[in-house]
Amino acid sequence: MQKISTPKFLQGLKTFSPKNLKDDLFSGIIIALVSIPISMGYAQIAGLPPVYGLYSSILPVIVFALMTSSPQYIFGVDAAPAALVGAELSALGIASGSSQALAAVPLFTFFTGIFLVIFALCRFGKLKKYVSSPVLGGFVSGICITIILMQIPKLFGGNPGTGEVFQLLPHIYREIINGFNGWAFGTGVLCIALILVCKRFFPKFPLSVAIMILSAFLEWQFHLFSNAGIKLLPEVPKGFPKFIIPDFTAVPVLDCIKGAFSIALVITAETLLAANGYAMKNRYKLSDNTEILSYGAANLVSCVLGSCPVNGSVSRTSMNQQFHGRSQMTQIIASLVLLFILLFGTGFIKYLPVPVLTAIVITALWGAVELETAKKLAKCDRKEYLIFLAAMIAVLIFGTIIGVFSGVLLSFLHVIIRESIPPRSFLGCIPGRGGFFSLDHFPAARPVKNVIIYRFRGNLFFANIEQFKDDIENALAERPEAKAVIVDASAIGAVDITACETLEFLWQDFRERGIKFYLTEHSQNLNEQLRSLGLGYMIEEGGIRRKMSVALHDMGMTKPYELELKENETAAEEPEFQENLLREFEWAFGKDAQKHIEEYVQNMISHMNENGNEDISHMMEDSGMWNKVSSYDEELILQVFELRIRELELSRGNQDSELEMQIKERREKILSEIRKVDSKSASRLERNREKLEQKFSERKQSILDKLSKRIKQKNPSSGIAPDK
């Protein structure tokens, strides 16, 4: 039977599954209740009566839900477009809530929808690929913090703010001075604290909804909030809105088009980037141009309802994720709930306290701030962390559009900086092993005699060719006897004309100095580029070879290559032992190597407690994912293991145990073997041992004190001398 495909304009239903209906229904009810204060408040900011926010949260949202490719992103009346419309009305001298505003706002919404459709047809969705994850995280975090600052005055009875951080902070101060309601503030802060605590310990319990219903009940029965001077939501008229045709004479069309273009850009940037952030986090894909088209369709529907532009909502999407909404059925249910309230339950709205609803919105927004992303970037990549902060700060200070462009610019700068200083290393050979190894990362590797082998991991272009040249020149200065430079160009996929000029200079300079120069290991495509840029003669004269081994053979060198060995070192080292000099824990875990060694040792101790003091080799093999470790790593593990056993025996009041003696003997043997082959590695291990001994000395007294305390508790008349 042929599968019936879902039409493109109904692809929002693709993710719906009957088994998820319970979660979608629950989340939809919560989204509907939370949308009441948000949409009404932002409609007022846009210059419309509050009820128009509810109008825009029904039919336009259903249209978006049917068309979108996102299974979870929530749409509706939101801060940025509402604030921009309000600013445009102010610039035109139109009073908020006036009949002229009622005629002008739908016109802005109409042209916003038209621009969004044009953006989709022009495939503006491609621009998203130029925005990196740090930019995306900083952008979303900046939006969330901005909206939180907008909402803060509502916690203490004030009016919400608009603009960016330098407008919002003075506004918050003025609202505090003009009328701070302590009861309202206390109510809001208490609700925030309760929601955050509940989210931490009972994440699946819908405390936000419970608080909303309880507060409405307390106001209905006891007028608890109104008697304390706490603001309530305004009463709204019943019924569904009438459809209208925009009045194109309400405001100058050119002014309206200019303002609508800015609003459409904000909606595209803010919603598309945030939606992709959720898609990345939850591992699904979006069709970016379909998304923009759905934004346009939703705004055109909002226009014929006489309402303001609609946009993606980070706060409500965060709530949807929190309550496990899994498809766009969540939004359809939310819209139907709001329709039911408009038709039959508008009396409920007037009992809702503004600080309670504001607290719910603020906690949802705070949950969407990318704190974990920031912590991760701060730990692992400082440059990307700074990009995250810069994107966030740019949104806070300059707004959405400049914030996005700033982030994109920073992303490009980061790419240029990263490509201009790519990973590089000099290579050598390990006696008894095939291949070439980094001299920095493999202590047993030795340079090939009279040859510099250089690996450059990046394309060659104007920003990094000087680094390439300087590295080679510095290496030649350190090894003036070198007769050849071989470049491992396996990661070089492209060169520009500036890089070719430098390569040509190096070729000519080295030939005059009697030094051979080779490019090796790269793809055939690079040869085509070199020929097209005038360096084909390097290929003809034998400077471009397929493999490093071929370049060495061209110099008359065959395996095993003659190496530059250290004093008293021979080329006939045991191959197996050379492998055992590799520092694999350090290579694999980097800065966390010591932590993983501690975990390895803890597994050994647990294994020992379960199975007794068996052979150390078996104990190590059975205690980690790696069945075999190098001698270097084994020495590090045994250093820690020995000290932990000493601490364990000391805490029991014992002296040296038989196991300690076994460990010492094994360690002395390993260290002696390492010292014969690589004194530098042996010295490094000895320094590590000294650090561990110092830590043990610092802990020793604490262990003895605890032992003494335990003995006294068992037998008050006895004790243990601290120095024993």
Side-chain angles (χ1 to χ4, degrees), residues 92-352:
L92 293 169
I94 298 174
S96 177
S98 65
S99 58
Q100 195 175 3
L102 286 170
V105 172
L107 198 57
F108 280 104
T109 308
F110 171 78
F111 283 112
T112 297
I114 294 296
F115 276 122
L116 287 166
V117 172
I118 293 172
F119 290 172
L121 295 176
C122 294
R123 307 189 73 80
F124 268 33
K126 290 182 178 180
L127 297 177
K128 182 267 303 177
K129 69 181 180 181
Y130 299 110
V131 180
S132 65
S133 294
V135 171
L136 190 59
F139 172 82
V140 172
S141 299
I143 291 174
C144 291
I145 294 171
T146 299
I147 301 175
I148 288 172
L149 292 174
M150 290 178 178
Q151 296 288 321
I152 281 176
K154 294 165 66 177
L155 281 177
F156 50 78
N159 297 309
T162 58
E164 281 69 57
V165 66
F166 289 124
Q167 290 82 45
L168 292 170
L169 292 177
H171 174 77
I172 292 171
Y173 175 75
R174 287 193 298 270
E175 291 297 304
I176 292 173
I177 297 299
N178 292 335
F180 182 86
N181 186 316
W183 288 108
F185 185 70
T187 300
V189 170
L190 177 62
C191 288
I192 290 173
L194 289 173
I195 293 170
L196 291 177
V197 170
C198 183
K199 194 174 181 180
R200 173 70 175 83
F201 296 103
F202 309 101
K204 293 186 177 181
F205 182 73
L207 185 64
S208 301
V209 176
I211 287 176
M212 190 184 301
I213 294 172
L214 177 62
S215 61
F217 175 78
L218 292 174
E219 176 60 27
W220 173 51
Q221 285 294 315
F222 308 107
H223 304 292
L224 183 68
F225 300 101
S226 55
N227 288 340
I230 296 173
K231 288 184 179 179
L232 307 174
L233 288 183
E235 189 172 2
V236 298
K238 289 183 180 180
F240 197 76
K242 295 178 181 179
F243 292 96
I244 68 159
I245 297 174
D247 180 2
F248 290 90
T249 64
V251 292
V253 173
L254 287 178
D255 289 338
C256 190
I257 289 174
K258 181 183 70 173
F261 182 74
S262 299
I263 297 166
L265 280 177
V266 168
I267 291 173
T268 301
E270 184 174 320
T271 310
L272 191 61
L273 292 183
N276 273 280
Y278 280 97
M280 187 183 301
K281 188 184 297 183
N282 294 289
R283 299 180 183 177
Y284 56 81
K285 291 184 178 180
L286 299 182
S287 171
D288 294 325
N289 291 302
T290 300
E291 288 301 294
I292 299 174
L293 186 63
S294 68
Y295 308 159
N299 275 280
L300 290 175
V301 173
S302 184
C303 160
V304 299
L305 294 174
S307 195
C308 54
V310 283
N311 186 29
S313 171
V314 174
S315 60
R316 281 167 279 182
T317 305
S318 177
M319 279 194 150
N320 186 35
Q321 180 163 304
Q322 179 185 346
F323 294 107
H324 308 292
R326 301 180 190 278
S327 76
Q328 284 299 331
M329 188 57 67
T330 297
Q331 271 197 114
I332 294 174
I333 291 168
S335 299
L336 294 176
V337 170
L338 286 174
L339 176 60
F340 179 84
I341 290 173
L342 261 180
L343 295 176
F344 307 107
T346 53
F348 162 76
I349 294 174
K350 65 182 180 181
Y351 295 112
L352 293 173

Side-chain angles (χ1 to χ4, degrees), residues 436-590:
F436 299 91
F437 303 87
S438 169
L439 297 174
D440 292 329
H441 298 142
F442 292 85
R446 300 291 179 264
V448 177
K449 193 167 186 178
N450 298 328
V451 179
I452 291 171
I453 304 177
Y454 176 58
R455 176 180 288 158
F456 191 85
R457 292 194 173 276
N459 293 327
L460 281 173
F461 67 114
F462 67 92
N464 64 23
I465 190 62
E466 281 300 315
Q467 184 71 62
F468 177 91
K469 174 176 170 289
D470 290 346
D471 284 347
I472 294 173
E473 293 285 9
N474 292 336
L476 285 169
E478 292 178 4
R479 297 173 61 195
E481 74 285 354
K483 301 300 181 185
V485 173
I486 300 174
V487 177
D488 175 356
S490 55
I492 301 176
V495 292
D496 70 358
I497 191 167
T498 306
C500 281
E501 290 172 355
T502 303
L503 288 174
E504 187 171 25
F505 166 79
L506 289 172
W507 175 265
Q508 301 294 346
D509 180 56
F510 290 166
R511 184 160 59 179
E512 291 174 7
R513 293 160 61 181
I515 300 171
K516 291 190 174 183
F517 182 66
Y518 299 93
L519 286 179
T520 67
E521 305 285 342
H522 51 274
S523 67
Q524 189 178 9
N525 179 59
L526 185 62
N527 293 337
E528 298 290 341
Q529 293 181 53
L530 292 172
R531 278 198 293 270
S532 67
L533 290 167
L535 295 186
Y537 66 87
M538 287 179 61
I539 303 173
E540 296 164 8
E541 295 179 20
I544 310 294
R545 308 309 294 259
R546 187 167 185 176
K547 295 288 184 182
M548 287 189 286
S549 56
V550 176
L552 288 163
H553 188 265
D554 185 61
M555 295 177 60
M557 302 179 72
T558 57
K559 296 179 182 179
Y561 304 117
E562 187 178 358
L563 305 180
E564 294 183 5
L565 301 174
K566 297 179 180 180
E567 190 177 351
N568 300 324
E569 196 174 36
T570 64
E573 303 290 353
E574 287 290 331
E576 183 181 354
F577 186 75
Q578 292 292 353
E579 280 191 9
N580 280 342
L581 278 176
L582 300 181
R583 302 195 291 266
E584 283 198 279
F585 265 90
E586 189 175 309
W587 171 80
F589 300 113

Side-chain angles (χ1 to χ4, degrees), residues 32-75:
L33 294 174
V34 170
S35 294
I36 293 171
I38 295 175
S39 57
M40 290 174 66
Y42 289 142
Q44 285 182 298
I45 291 173
L48 295 173
V51 71
Y52 279 84
L54 299 180
Y55 296 160
S56 289
S57 300
I58 300 174
L59 194 56
V61 169
I62 291 175
V63 169
F64 169 79
L66 293 175
M67 294 183 64
T68 181
S69 58
S70 170
Q72 69 173 157
Y73 205 73
I74 302 297
F75 216 67

